């Protein structure tokens, strides 16, 4: 686990809600999510598939596809105000310049028609930066070298289909860092890569992307990644934050049964492996009780009312009635 660095808040998300409105039903994908990222921090969002992690970050970045729509909340980016209130054209300028985005599939982020060099130049042009061929190539070469690409000229002259998955993701990270944004949002950046390359990419993100003025919001379903790379963690279930805090606190003293169940499913010294049974709930239905109730071995009468997220210790937030019972833990 990495040591926490306390500095300025880069991103502060409050009460973020996202819905997908269909003809017959509405999916309440994200329901009142709060989170923050400080400079110098890697904050992980974790949860099973379908818990709203990726939808939340796409909502923050204005990248939701219709019929997905942000229906409430704010996402204050330091120096830029509420991202959710910025019109599309201006938001495109903030994306790239002040927030970099690294998506799951690097090939989806790269344009197969343009050479890698042209794509670097296009980013500079779009943001009004010097983009003359020589200047742009120098900057692109420096960025590719900084993300560990040994032959940057060969990559710059080539096209995305000529790259391996790991190399393509390095290129995407270099592009995301080109304009030196303060915040990088990486959504499952190592999906589909083999284990060794996954490690290299995450090491790269930790060692090269974060510094005292920059932070990362890292979406993952892997608590092992959170343990190794993040300072703080936000656990999401059914579109809500159910637990948040420093990685040390949440891992050593999980207070939500869902967090405990996720931790129980990863091999840890001195802990018996357990399986989390059941599946995430249907988000077309707004529950009045705790969303985790059907899967929770600790459920009791109070759980018929949806619990609020509350601070049970400094910087340790939990949404579970169990935490209101003195002396009760979730493990
Ligand atoms: Fe389990 Fe109740 Fe806590 Fe929900 S509120 S996680 S059902 S103990």
């Amino acid at each position: 686990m990495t040591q926490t660095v306390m500095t300025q808040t880069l991103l502060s998300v409050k009460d973020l809600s996202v819905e997908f409105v269909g003809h017959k039903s509405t999916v309440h994908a994200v329901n009142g999510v709060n989170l923050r990222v400080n400079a110098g921090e890697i904050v992980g969002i974790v949860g099973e598939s379908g818990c709203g992690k990726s939808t939340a970050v796409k909502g923050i970045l204005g990248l939701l596809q219709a019929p997905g729509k942000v229906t409430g909340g704010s996402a204050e980016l330091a120096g830029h105000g509420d991202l959710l209130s910025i019109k599309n054209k201006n938001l495109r300028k903030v994306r790239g310049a002040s927030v970099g985005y690294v998506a799951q599939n690097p090939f989806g982020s790269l344009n197969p028609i343009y050479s890698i060099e042209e794509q670097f130049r296009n980013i500079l042009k779009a943001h009004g930066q010097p983009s003359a061929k020589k200047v742009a190539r120098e900057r692109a070469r420096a960025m590719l070298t900084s993300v560990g690409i040994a032959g940057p000229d060969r990559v710059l002259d080539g096209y995305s289909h000529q790259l391996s998955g790991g190399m393509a993701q390095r290129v995407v990270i270099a592009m995301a860092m080109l304009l030196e944004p303060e915040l990088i949002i990486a959504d499952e950046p190592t999906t589909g890569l083999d284990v060794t390359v996954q490690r290299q990419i995450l090491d790269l993100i930790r060692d090269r992307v974060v510094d005292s003025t920059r932070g990362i919001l890292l979406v993952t379903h892997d608590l092992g990644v959170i343990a190794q790379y993040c300072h703080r963690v936000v656990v999401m279930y059914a579109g809500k934050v159910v637990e948040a805090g420093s990685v040390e606190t949440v891992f050593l003293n999980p207070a939500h049964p869902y967090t405990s169940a996720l931790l129980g499913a990863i091999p840890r010294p001195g802990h018996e492996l357990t399986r989390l049974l059941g599946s995430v709930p249907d988000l077309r239905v707004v529950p009045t009780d705790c969303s985790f109730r059907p899967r929770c071995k600790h459920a009791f009468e109070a759980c018929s009312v949806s619990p609020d997220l509350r601070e049970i210790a400094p910087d340790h937030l939990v949404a579970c009635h169990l935490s209101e019972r003195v002396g009760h833990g979730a493990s």
Side-chain angles (χ1 to χ4, degrees), residues 20 22 33 76 116 141 163 207 210 252 257 260 308 325:
F20 290 81
V33 160
E76 295 281 336
I116 300 299
R141 189 192 281 125
L163 302 172
D207 299 340
V210 179
L252 295 175
S260 298
D308 290 331
R325 287 182 159 185

Side-chain angles (χ1 to χ4, degrees), residues 5-17:
V5 182
M6 295 299 295
T7 46
Q8 178 208 359
T9 297
L10 294 177
L11 178 71
S12 174
V13 176
K14 293 205 174 114
D15 291 327
L16 177 71
S17 293

